[in-house]
């Protein structure tokens, strides 16, 4: 399970297992649709990557917050954030 370092220094789990995505599609179909659309784009922008991380945040059982509130919690270091995106989609296990 990947960890995301928040602006306040807290590390939180993020997860995108197949079971997570199945449950997401059942319980939050609109968010699942946004996730699948983002992951199938030919060209992703940074906000698409952050949306994928947000889905991982929700799927890991973290408190349900809006995407906008989630954006406020992210650090400003883009390398830190984008590395979590890659770890979620391409885990080393």
């Amino acid at each position: 399970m990947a960890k995301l370092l928040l602006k306040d220094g807290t590390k939180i789990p993020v997860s995108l297992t197949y079971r997570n995505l199945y449950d997401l599609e059942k319980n939050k179909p609109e968010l699942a649709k946004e996730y699948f659309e983002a992951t199938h784009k030919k060209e992703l922008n940074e906000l698409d990557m952050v949306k994928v991380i947000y889905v991982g945040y929700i799927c890991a059982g973290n408190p349900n917050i809006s995407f906008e509130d989630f954006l406020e919690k992210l650090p400003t270091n883009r390398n830190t954030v984008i590395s979590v995106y890659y770890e979620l989609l391409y885990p080393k296990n």
Side-chain angles (χ1 to χ4, degrees):
M1 184 176 294
K3 296 279 187 179
L4 174 63
L5 179 65
L6 299 179
K7 194 181 333 185
D8 68 2
T10 306
K11 282 189 173 185
I12 57 166
V14 289
S15 179
L16 284 177
T17 66
Y18 290 112
R19 179 57 194 235
N20 293 146
L21 294 174
Y22 173 81
D23 290 342
L24 183 72
E25 199 167 42
K26 291 269 190 202
N27 299 320
K28 296 179 184 256
E30 286 301 315
L31 185 56
K33 181 180 177 187
E34 290 177 41
Y35 166 81
F36 289 118
E37 286 174 355
T39 57
H40 287 90
K41 281 185 175 180
K42 286 189 180 197
E43 291 185 33
L44 291 176
N45 65 43
E46 289 176 274
L47 287 177
D48 293 325
M49 292 179 179
V50 171
K51 179 65 81 165
V52 169
I53 297 168
Y54 173 69
V55 169
Y57 169 88
I58 296 296
C59 286
N62 293 298
N64 194 9
I65 62 172
S66 71
F67 182 63
E68 292 80 7
D69 288 343
F70 181 74
L71 291 173
E72 293 293 326
K73 293 178 173 280
L74 293 177
T76 55
N77 184 326
R78 284 170 164 72
N79 287 333
T80 299
V81 173
I82 291 171
S83 68
V84 172
Y85 165 82
Y86 284 107
E87 191 175 345
L88 277 172
L89 291 183
Y90 311 105
K92 297 175 186 173
N93 60 3

